[in-house]
Structures are given as C-alpha cells and as structure tokens.
C-alpha cells in the first residue's frame, strides 16, 4: 500500500466521518466546524491530484469566506442546541432510508461498469496556476466577466433582501 | 488511485448531503448540506479532469484537461454568490418569524 493510497483513504474517511458528524451534531456551530473539516479534507484531495490552484481557492473561498459568513449568521441569531428544531423520528428514519437507497442504487450502477481508468496523482501540469490562468483569460474570458456581473447582482440582491424597510 | 474510488467517495458525500436536507429542519444546516453536495460534485469533476489528463487528446492540447478545473472554479463563484443571497433570505426569515425552522416557510402559501 503506497503512501498515496494511505493518504487517499485517510482523507476520504476524514471527509465522510466529518459529514456524518455534521449531520448528527445538535449545535449548529459544531456543524459548521465539521463542514470546515470536510472542506480541508477535500482540499487535501485536490493537493493529492496536483490541482494546487483549486486547493488554495477551496480553502480561501469556502473555509475562509463562506463558512465565516455562516458562522456570523449563526452567532447573530444566537442559535444553540436548545433552539434546534427537531423533526419527528419517523420522518428522520424515512429520510435516512431513502438517502441510503439512492446511494445503493447509484453505487451499484457505477460499480458494475467494466471501465476503471487510473487517475493521475501527484504529477500533471494542468492544475497549476499558470495553465489555469492562461486558459481562463484566453478561452473563458467572457464567462469570467459575466461572473463579475453575477457577483454585482448578488451583492445588490443581498442588500435589498436583508434591508429593513 | 482509480476513478471508481473517487466516484464512490463523491457519491457517499453527495448522498450524505441529501440525507441532511431530508432529515434536518434548521434552514442553515440544510443550506450547508447543499454546499456539501456542490463540493462533492467539484471533487468528482477534478478527478475526471485528472483521469482525462493521461489520455491522448489531453497530450495534444494543454487546455483540454484544464477545462474541468475552470468549470470547478466557476461553480465556486456561483456558490459564493448563492450563499450571500441565501443567507440574506434566511436572515429575513428569522427577522419575520424569530425562528429558522424550515416548516415556517409554508406560511408563504397564505
């Protein structure tokens, strides 16, 4: 068992275990912290596949900006385990069973395929900032500029929605 | 590693997100589960791009395999915009009902 597969299984178990902990923890702040652990595990996967730019952006944008926004909102509303609304147990059981059945169907459909191509690990140039930047600013410059308009409209929308009138 | 391992990991994370949406009633937790689903799809896209990086078509043109990672970058951009608007909606819901229970949203129909 090579070091790469050890790292892969470690990061995978970390991600899946944190996802389950995120679901079962009552306190919303604990859920947010577990989600940050998931994001770091996924960034570890990106580093393992030598997608360095996405690893850094994942940490900066998700763990840095989005989760701080979540934490800020949760602390603003002063949520804790006592104010947590609980569904009744039958609905929870139905949710878990249906999600598990979906997982079963998808996994069995995928695992039956014969093709099992290898994924290039550790090496590879296409995830580096230089190549991604060249591709982004030559072939994808119009979507890049459109996303700035999207951000502007999201900013205006957030202010308009949350404004007290 | 093989592509099937990455597909399995992404499917498990995605279905965990679906179970979270179905099980929890806190609107913020449901929103976080949607983020988890987006992230599992991002992971799968990067894995597929690295799978295609060893193919012959990718060796012919250098931008071929970078396309999927640009796509992941745009997914992150859209997710950031979505989170800002969604959290604004949740804050407005909390201000009106003093709760973030998702079941209060059925008041919209009256």
């Amino acid at each position: 068992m090579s070091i790469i597969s050890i790292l892969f299984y470690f990061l995978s178990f970390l991600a899946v275990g944190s996802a389950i902990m995120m679901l079962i923890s009552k306190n919303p702040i604990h859920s947010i912290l577990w989600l940050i652990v998931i994001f770091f595990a996924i960034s570890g996967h990106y580093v393992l596949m030598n997608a360095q730019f996405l690893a850094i952006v994942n940490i900066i944008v998700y763990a840095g900006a989005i989760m701080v926004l979540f934490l800020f909102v949760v602390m603003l509303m002063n949520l804790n385990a006592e104010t947590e609304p609980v569904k009744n147990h039958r609905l929870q059981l139905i949710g878990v069973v249906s999600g598990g059945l979906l997982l079963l169907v998808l996994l069995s459909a995928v695992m039956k395929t014969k093709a099992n191509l290898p994924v290039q690990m550790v090496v590879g140039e296409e995830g580096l900032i230089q190549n991604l930047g060249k591709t982004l600013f030559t072939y994808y410059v119009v979507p890049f500029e459109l996303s700035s308009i999207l951000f502007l409209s999201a900013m205006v929308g957030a202010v308009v929605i949350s404004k007290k009138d | 590693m093989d592509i099937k391992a990455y597909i399995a990991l992404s499917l498990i994370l995605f279905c965990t997100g679906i179970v979270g949406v179905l099980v929890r009633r806190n609107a913020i937790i449901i929103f976080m589960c949607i983020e988890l689903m987006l992230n599992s799809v991002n992971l799968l896209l990067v894995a597929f791009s690295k799978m295609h990086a060893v193919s012959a078509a990718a060796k012919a043109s250098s931008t071929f395999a970078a396309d999927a990672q640009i796509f992941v970058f745009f997914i992150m951009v859209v997710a950031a915009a979505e989170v800002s608007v969604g959290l604004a909606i949740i804050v407005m819901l909390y201000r009106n009902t003093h709760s973030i229970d998702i079941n209060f949203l059925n008041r919209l129909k009256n």
Side-chain angles (χ1 to χ4, degrees), chain B:
Chain B
M1 294 307 297
D2 293 328
I3 191 65
K4 272 186 184 174
Y6 277 104
I7 294 176
L9 172 63
S10 300
L11 282 179
I12 292 171
L13 285 179
F14 191 84
C15 289
T16 315
I18 287 179
V19 170
V21 170
L22 292 177
V23 163
R24 300 299 293 261
R25 265 171 64 192
N26 189 335
I28 292 178
I29 307 281
I30 289 175
F31 211 42
M32 279 161 50
C33 290
I34 294 172
E35 294 299 313
L36 176 62
M37 289 194 262
L38 279 173
N39 259 283
S40 73
V41 173
N42 283 350
L43 179 65
L44 194 60
L45 272 173
V46 175
F48 275 129
S49 98
K50 295 302 283 186
M51 188 188 83
H52 279 292
V54 289
S55 69
K59 290 200 176 81
S61 73
S62 62
T63 61
F64 183 76
D67 280 357
Q69 304 198 13
I70 296 288
F71 203 85
V72 171
F73 176 69
F74 280 117
I75 290 177
M76 287 180 183
V77 166
V78 173
E82 170 231 334
V83 162
S84 61
V85 175
L87 280 179
I89 291 174
I90 292 177
V91 168
M92 189 196 65
L93 172 73
Y94 181 76
R95 193 184 289 144
N96 287 335
T97 64
H98 288 284
S99 168
I100 49 163
D101 193 343
I102 201 79
N103 285 0
F104 277 107
L105 275 182
N106 64 10
R107 288 181 188 175
L108 284 179
K109 68 186 174 191
N110 297 325

Side-chain angles (χ1 to χ4, degrees), chain A residues 71-134:
Chain A
L71 267 182
F72 177 74
V73 169
V74 167
M75 289 182 177
L76 185 76
M77 296 172 181
N78 198 13
L79 301 176
N80 46 38
E82 284 85 51
T83 59
E84 182 69 15
V86 206
K87 249 181 188 164
N88 67 40
H89 289 293
R90 219 184 61 202
L91 281 178
Q92 280 186 342
L93 187 68
I94 290 172
V96 171
V97 167
S98 51
L101 281 178
L102 179 68
L103 177 65
L104 191 71
V105 168
L106 288 175
L107 268 184
S108 60
V110 167
M111 291 305 149
K112 254 183 78 176
T113 55
K114 296 273 192 313
N116 194 9
L117 294 171
V119 176
Q120 189 185 33
M121 308 293 280
V122 180
V123 291
E125 297 279 302
E126 64 280 334
L128 304 185
I129 292 182
Q130 186 188 7
N131 292 320
L132 282 184
K134 268 184 193 158

